[in-house]
């Protein structure tokens, strides 16, 4: 078997994710398929590139050597493809390629951008991995990425990206069945959830590590289920699990959203872009008009629309609005025009 760029990309994804399961999700393939592909790559090279451990995969000495040569090749191919696509698209009209982790602000943000940029082709790519989205921005596959960074688990930000902070610390709330004993409280004590099964999606960058850190600091060691949050909703509704959630989450007839005492779980909301990324949307500027992070007035406009959309989503969520009022958040007031 001859090694191809896709094989090198898979090796880099496994090393970055630390597990075959996470890497498969990022690559959009099944774990068995990725496992088979890795086995074929290793067979062609005659040695193992990763040691399989209970907690994930770690590169062997040979693996580190292969990765050191593979990464520049993968990055170079990404640049080649992005530059070729950019050249081909220049005559096709303006466009803005957005990447994002899950957020209830997305609908309002896209609506505002379409109103601001009526002739621009605006696309959206969702991913559970913020790090994967940032790599795509750096490689030219996306123009901007709206992501969250779990407290205590810094993102791996490629060099050269512009950054704006939307929310320095957004508290994470908890989703409970409506008949859960703690659901009647306006603010839930973490200790009251010690006997519950917590559900977490380990493919979301930093999610499991952040929760484990908070639970450990509280002296708790509850049973934990791993799965996606769509599955989590069905389990929460029948009282089989609880899960952290965004404060903008909307309650249901069978599920409530509550803040945790002292807000132990938090994330930072960030908007990343490449320098000059907004030129393709026809809204970029330079020089004295540059924004706070050097991304031009185009970046300021895109950020302002995101800020307005997030504020709209926050105020529509009753529990979060109450939290904002208790904490006298500036988010309650629209920024001056």
């Amino acid at each position: 078997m001859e090694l191809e760029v896709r094989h090198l990309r898979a090796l880099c994804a496994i090393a970055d994710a630390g597990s075959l399961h996470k890497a498969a999700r990022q690559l959009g393939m099944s774990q068995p398929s990725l496992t088979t592909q890795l086995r074929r790559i290793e067979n062609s090279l005659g040695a193992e590139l990763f040691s399989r451990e209970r907690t994930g995969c770690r590169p062997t000495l040979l693996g580190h050597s292969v990765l050191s040569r593979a990464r520049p090749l993968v990055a170079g191919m990404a640049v080649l493809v992005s530059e070729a696509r950019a050249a081909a698209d220049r005559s096709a009209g303006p466009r803005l390629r957005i990447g994002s982790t899950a957020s209830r602000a997305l609908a309002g943000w896209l609506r505002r951008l379409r109103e601001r940029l009526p002739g621009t082709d605006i696309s959206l790519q969702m991913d559970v991995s913020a790090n994967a989205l940032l790599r795509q921005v750096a490689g030219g596959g996306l123009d901007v990425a709206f992501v969250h960074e779990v407290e205590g688990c810094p993102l791996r930000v490629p060099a050269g990206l512009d950054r704006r902070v939307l929310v320095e610390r957004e508290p994470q709330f908890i989703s409970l069945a409506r008949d859960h004993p703690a659901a009647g409280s306006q603010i839930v004590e973490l200790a009251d959830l010690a006997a519950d099964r917590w559900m977490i999606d380990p493919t979301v960058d930093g999610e499991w590590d952040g929760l484990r850190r908070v639970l450990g600091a509280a002296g708790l060691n509850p049973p934990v289920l791993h799965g996606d949050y769509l599955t989590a909703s069905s389990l929460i509704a029948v009282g089989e699990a609880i899960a952290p959630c965004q404060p903008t989450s909307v309650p249901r007839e069978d599920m409530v959203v509550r803040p945790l005492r002292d807000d132990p779980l938090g994330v930072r909301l960030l908007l990343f872009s490449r320098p000059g990324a907004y030129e393709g949307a026809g809204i970029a500027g330079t020089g004295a008009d540059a924004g706070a992070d050097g991304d031009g007035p185009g970046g300021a406009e895109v950020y302002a629309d995101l800020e307005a959309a997030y504020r709209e989503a926050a105020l529509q969520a009753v529990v979060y609005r109450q939290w904002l009022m208790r904490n006298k958040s500036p988010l309650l007031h629209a920024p001056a025009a």
Side-chain angles (χ1 to χ4, degrees):
M1 182 186 81
E2 291 188 3
L3 288 183
E4 303 174 12
V5 173
R6 63 188 179 93
H7 298 137
L8 302 182
R9 189 178 296 114
L11 295 178
C12 293
I14 296 169
D16 291 339
S19 78
L20 287 166
H21 175 66
K22 289 183 180 180
R25 286 283 297 270
Q26 293 177 13
L27 294 168
M29 60 194 301
S30 68
Q31 182 174 334
S33 296
L34 181 58
T35 300
T36 299
Q37 186 176 96
L38 175 59
R39 189 178 300 116
R40 291 183 63 197
I41 294 171
E42 291 178 327
N43 287 340
S44 72
L45 296 178
E48 286 192 346
L49 300 179
F50 293 91
S51 59
R52 281 68 156 179
E53 303 173 359
R54 186 177 60 83
T55 56
C57 293
R58 293 182 181 276
T60 61
L61 286 176
L62 177 62
H64 280 295
S65 177
V66 171
L67 286 166
S68 69
R69 294 177 177 272
R71 291 188 190 279
L73 294 173
V74 171
M77 181 59 71
V79 171
L80 185 154
V81 172
S82 66
E83 289 180 351
R85 286 175 176 170
D89 289 340
R90 268 194 276 272
S91 60
R95 67 174 184 175
L96 183 63
R97 298 164 301 169
I98 296 172
S100 181
T101 50
S103 173
R104 290 194 174 272
L106 283 176
W109 188 27
L110 291 176
R111 184 183 74 247
R112 287 170 170 82
L113 287 174
R114 295 190 193 285
E115 291 171 354
R116 184 185 295 278
L117 308 168
T120 299
D121 177 17
I122 300 173
S123 63
L124 174 66
Q125 178 178 325
M126 302 293 296
D127 200 308
V128 296
S129 171
N131 286 313
L133 292 170
L134 296 185
R135 288 195 296 270
Q136 289 200 56
V137 174
L142 293 171
D143 298 311
V144 298
F146 174 42
V147 299
H148 70 273
E149 179 181 65
V150 176
E151 195 168 54
C153 304
L155 295 173
R156 297 186 294 274
V157 182
L161 297 189
D162 292 326
R163 185 197 74 174
R164 285 178 177 265
V165 179
L166 178 68
V167 178
E168 184 61 42
R169 189 178 194 274
E170 179 194 68
Q172 298 299 278
F173 289 178
I174 194 79
S175 292
L176 308 160
R178 188 165 290 277
D179 59 357
H180 190 286
S185 303
Q186 293 303 307
I187 300 176
V188 175
E189 304 287 343
L190 194 59
D192 291 341
L193 307 175
D196 286 281
R197 284 180 292 272
W198 290 69
M199 190 154 190
I200 200 79
D201 187 344
T203 64
V204 179
D205 293 328
E207 201 95 327
W208 171 220
D209 290 336
L211 177 62
R212 182 166 48 188
R213 176 181 58 81
V214 168
L215 293 175
L220 303 179
N221 186 29
V224 175
L225 306 176
H226 288 173
D228 64 89
Y229 286 124
L230 182 61
T231 303
S233 295
S234 61
L235 295 179
I236 293 167
V238 296
E240 285 296 315
I242 62 174
C245 67
Q246 298 175 14
T248 50
S249 299
V250 178
R252 309 184 333 192
E253 288 185 0
D254 51 6
M255 188 187 307
V256 301
V257 174
R258 294 287 184 265
L260 292 166
R261 177 75 65 190
D262 299 326
D263 307 310
L265 293 168
V267 303
R268 185 162 58 157
L269 303 183
L270 304 161
L271 181 67
F272 286 93
S273 63
R274 286 177 294 103
Y278 300 105
E279 293 176 3
I283 56 175
T286 58
D289 292 330
D293 288 277
D295 56 355
E301 293 169 359
V302 170
Y303 174 83
D305 286 340
L306 175 58
E307 187 178 39
Y310 180 82
R311 179 176 177 274
E312 178 181 64
L315 297 183
Q316 287 175 349
V318 175
V319 176
Y320 192 22
R321 186 171 69 242
Q322 293 170 346
W323 184 94
L324 294 170
M325 293 174 65
R326 285 196 305 272
N327 289 273
K328 298 180 173 58
S329 171
L331 199 63
L332 292 167
H333 311 287

